[in-house]
């Protein structure tokens, strides 16, 4: 997946921007508040119809404008065939997505544009709640197995209904058995897909960690959300009275978690800030590498303020790794000299300067 033309209208302070990005490395530099991250937000909007910085569309749309629009020429299958993709959102919350002249839904858009974001919020993969790490796993499973989205939707429906009955306190034995049967069926399939995906991801992650964090022994572990030594249907029955008092289901894939450890200890407690950035970056880069190996399609990477938290040596290591990837990258920094890494002559690198919402190629 690559973007050969990007047209942005009314994304924060970017009133009207049109660029022809490199298929490899694009670096945007400028002072804080100039609009660097807004370019990344626009690309994220093109790929997922939402920002990675805010859930409120009114904060994304430029003041005084009713709509935000991003359009791109994309080679979605990496086969040299470009088509037009456009996303429009308005202040009323309406969203319209068109690809190759036809309307498409958000699930189709997410499948079409595989995006990876590395920014300050990426630290939450180590420091944040388990739900963030589940989203990370499920991104990979969604792209790896077409059956996952329907399984996930089915499970969410059953979980919501079971929790509603628990909150109301009106769930008899027969009704509980029926919902538990569905719950267990979805749970076991989702858990199997998550485990299979992480088995594939782990060697990719370990190879990248070896390059970005030499000398650190990082490992990935997985908690499915219940003790696999006991059948889930038995566990649901055992926990029923407690679940009834609490009003929610306490065991199942909705409680799953990814464990990142250093020498057997939680990585969030052992790594420095800079090491954490490299560790979470390794997770994202591993996902992209695995996605490319499985599909032949490269991800698009949105990397905000790359030099932040990294010394010159580790920043160079990161750039060296990114250069070896097949992915298209959009990278921001305040001072372009912070990314003065000498790119290889055959690497297509474009530099842009951003000031007050104006984007100028250098």
């Amino acid at each position: 997946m690559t973007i050969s033309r990007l047209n942005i209208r009314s994304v924060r302070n970017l009133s009207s921007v049109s660029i022809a990005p490199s298929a490899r490395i694009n670096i945007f530099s400028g002072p804080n508040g100039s609009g660097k991250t807004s370019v990344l937000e626009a690309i994220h909007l093109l790929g997922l119809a939402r920002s990675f910085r805010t859930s409120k569309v009114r904060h994304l749309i430029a003041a005084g404008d009713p709509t935000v629009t991003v359009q791109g020429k994309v080679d979605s299958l990496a086969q040299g065939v470009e088509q037009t993709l456009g996303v429009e959102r308005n202040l009323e919350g309406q969203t319209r997505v068109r690809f190759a002249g036809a309307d498409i839904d958000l699930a189709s858009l997410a499948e079409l544009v595989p995006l990876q974001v590395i920014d300050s919020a990426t630290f939450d993969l180590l420091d944040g709640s388990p739900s963030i790490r589940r989203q990370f796993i499920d991104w990979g499973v969604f792209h790896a197995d077409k059956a996952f989205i329907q399984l996930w939707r089915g499970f969410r429906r059953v979980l919501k209904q079971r929790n509603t009955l628990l909150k109301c306190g009106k769930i008899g034995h027969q009704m509980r058995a029926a919902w538990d049967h569905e719950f267990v069926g979805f749970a076991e399939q989702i858990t199997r897909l998550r485990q299979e995906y992480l088995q594939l991801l782990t060697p990719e992650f370990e190879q990248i960690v070896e390059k970005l964090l030499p000398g650190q022994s990082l490992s990935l572990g997985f908690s499915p959300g219940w003790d696999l030594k006991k059948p889930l249907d038995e566990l649901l029955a055992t926990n029923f009275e407690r679940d009834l008092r609490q009003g929610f289901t306490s065991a199942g894939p909705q409680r799953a978690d990814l464990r990142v450890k250093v020498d057997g200890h939680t990585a969030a407690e052992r790594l420095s800030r800079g090491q954490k950035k490299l560790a979470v970056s390794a997770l994202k880069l591993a996902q992209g590498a695995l996605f490319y190996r499985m599909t032949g399609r490269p991800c698009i990477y949105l990397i905000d303020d790359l030099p932040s938290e990294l010394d010159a040596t580790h920043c160079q290591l990161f750039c060296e790794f990114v250069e070896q990837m097949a992915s298209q990258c959009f990278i921001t920094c305040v001072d372009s000299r912070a990314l003065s890494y000498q790119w290889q002559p055959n690497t297509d690198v474009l530099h842009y300067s951003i000031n007050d919402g104006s984007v100028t190629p250098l």
Side-chain angles (χ1 to χ4, degrees):
M1 170 69 190
T2 54
I3 302 171
S4 63
R5 169 65 63 177
L6 182 66
N7 301 314
I8 305 168
R9 186 174 66 80
S10 300
V11 176
R12 296 192 188 267
N13 65 337
L14 304 177
S15 59
S16 181
V17 169
S18 181
I19 61 173
S22 161
R24 292 289 293 108
I25 308 294
N26 299 274
I27 299 174
F28 298 84
S29 61
N32 291 327
S34 61
K36 303 184 302 297
T37 305
S38 299
V39 173
L40 305 190
E41 275 189 287
I43 299 169
H44 198 271
L45 183 70
L46 185 67
L48 290 172
R50 57 180 171 80
S51 166
F52 60 87
R53 295 170 68 191
T54 178
S55 60
K56 301 183 185 302
V57 69
R58 70 175 183 272
H59 296 321
L60 180 65
I61 301 177
D65 286 336
T67 62
V68 58
T69 306
V70 182
Q71 186 186 68
K73 286 285 187 182
V74 301
D75 178 9
S76 60
L77 299 177
Q79 294 178 346
V81 178
E82 293 186 346
Q83 294 172 299
T84 301
L85 172 65
V87 175
E88 180 182 270
R89 295 196 64 180
N90 62 28
L91 289 172
E92 284 71 45
Q94 297 171 322
T95 301
R96 188 181 186 190
V97 183
R98 287 183 64 81
F99 175 65
D103 291 338
I104 62 172
D105 61 21
L106 297 184
S108 299
L109 177 63
E111 185 177 1
L112 187 70
V113 187
L115 285 177
Q116 291 283 354
V117 179
I118 298 175
D119 68 340
S120 58
T122 311
F123 284 99
D124 289 342
L125 277 174
L126 297 183
D127 300 328
S129 69
S131 65
I132 295 170
R133 291 182 287 277
R134 283 196 297 274
Q135 290 172 13
F136 170 81
I137 299 170
D138 290 346
W139 184 96
V141 183
F142 168 78
H143 285 286
D145 194 308
K146 293 185 181 298
F148 176 75
I149 186 65
Q150 294 304 323
L151 290 172
W152 185 85
R153 287 171 175 167
F155 173 74
R156 296 298 301 176
R157 173 184 59 81
V158 173
L159 175 64
K160 181 178 180 181
Q161 183 62 42
R162 192 178 193 273
N163 285 345
T164 298
L165 293 170
L166 287 170
K167 288 175 184 177
C168 294
K170 299 178 180 179
I171 179 169
H173 174 74
Q174 286 187 327
M175 184 179 293
R176 178 175 66 81
W179 283 110
D180 284 4
H181 178 74
E182 275 202 77
F183 184 95
V184 170
F186 283 121
E188 290 178 343
Q189 292 181 80
I190 288 172
T191 298
R192 176 179 57 80
L193 291 178
R194 284 173 170 173
Q195 289 174 318
E196 289 174 354
Y197 176 74
L198 287 174
Q199 287 175 357
L200 295 173
L201 182 70
T202 297
E204 301 281 356
F205 173 71
E206 291 174 346
Q207 289 177 23
I208 295 172
V209 165
E210 188 176 347
K211 295 178 181 178
L212 296 184
L213 281 164
Q216 293 289 344
S217 178
L218 270 71
S219 63
L220 299 181
F222 177 62
S223 171
W226 76 95
D227 186 353
L228 292 177
K229 295 178 181 178
K230 188 171 185 178
L232 182 55
D233 56 349
E234 293 183 15
L235 193 59
L236 291 173
T238 301
N239 293 348
F240 176 67
E241 292 299 329
R242 185 181 68 180
D243 289 354
L244 195 61
R245 291 192 300 271
Q246 295 177 338
F248 63 86
T249 306
S250 58
Q254 77 281 5
R255 312 284 287 183
D257 198 3
L258 174 69
R259 307 261 176 86
V260 185
K261 295 190 174 183
V262 180
D263 295 324
H265 299 276
T266 303
E269 299 173 352
R270 284 297 181 105
L271 298 180
S272 69
R273 185 75 173 172
Q275 289 173 325
K276 285 182 181 181
K277 180 162 186 174
L278 291 170
V280 295
S281 296
L283 285 168
K284 293 281 190 169
L285 293 170
Q287 272 203 329
L290 178 57
F291 178 82
Y292 182 70
R293 182 161 65 84
M294 295 175 70
T295 67
R297 299 169 57 207
C299 287
I300 292 176
Y301 276 89
L302 310 178
I303 306 173
D304 194 29
D305 200 5
L306 173 57
S308 174
E309 317 290 350
L310 299 181
D311 56 34
T313 299
H314 285 97
C315 193
Q316 180 170 332
L317 282 172
F318 193 105
C319 289
E320 288 176 357
F321 190 86
V322 165
E323 189 173 24
Q324 297 169 11
M325 296 170 57
S327 299
Q328 185 177 33
C329 300
F330 296 84
I331 304 170
T332 70
C333 60
V334 174
D335 188 346
S336 61
R337 291 174 297 182
L339 293 178
S340 58
Y341 166 70
Q342 296 300 307
W343 307 92
Q344 295 298 316
N346 61 343
T347 302
D348 186 13
V349 181
L350 290 182
H351 293 261
Y352 298 88
S353 173
I354 301 186
N355 203 337
D356 292 330
S358 177
V359 181
T360 306
L362 296 178

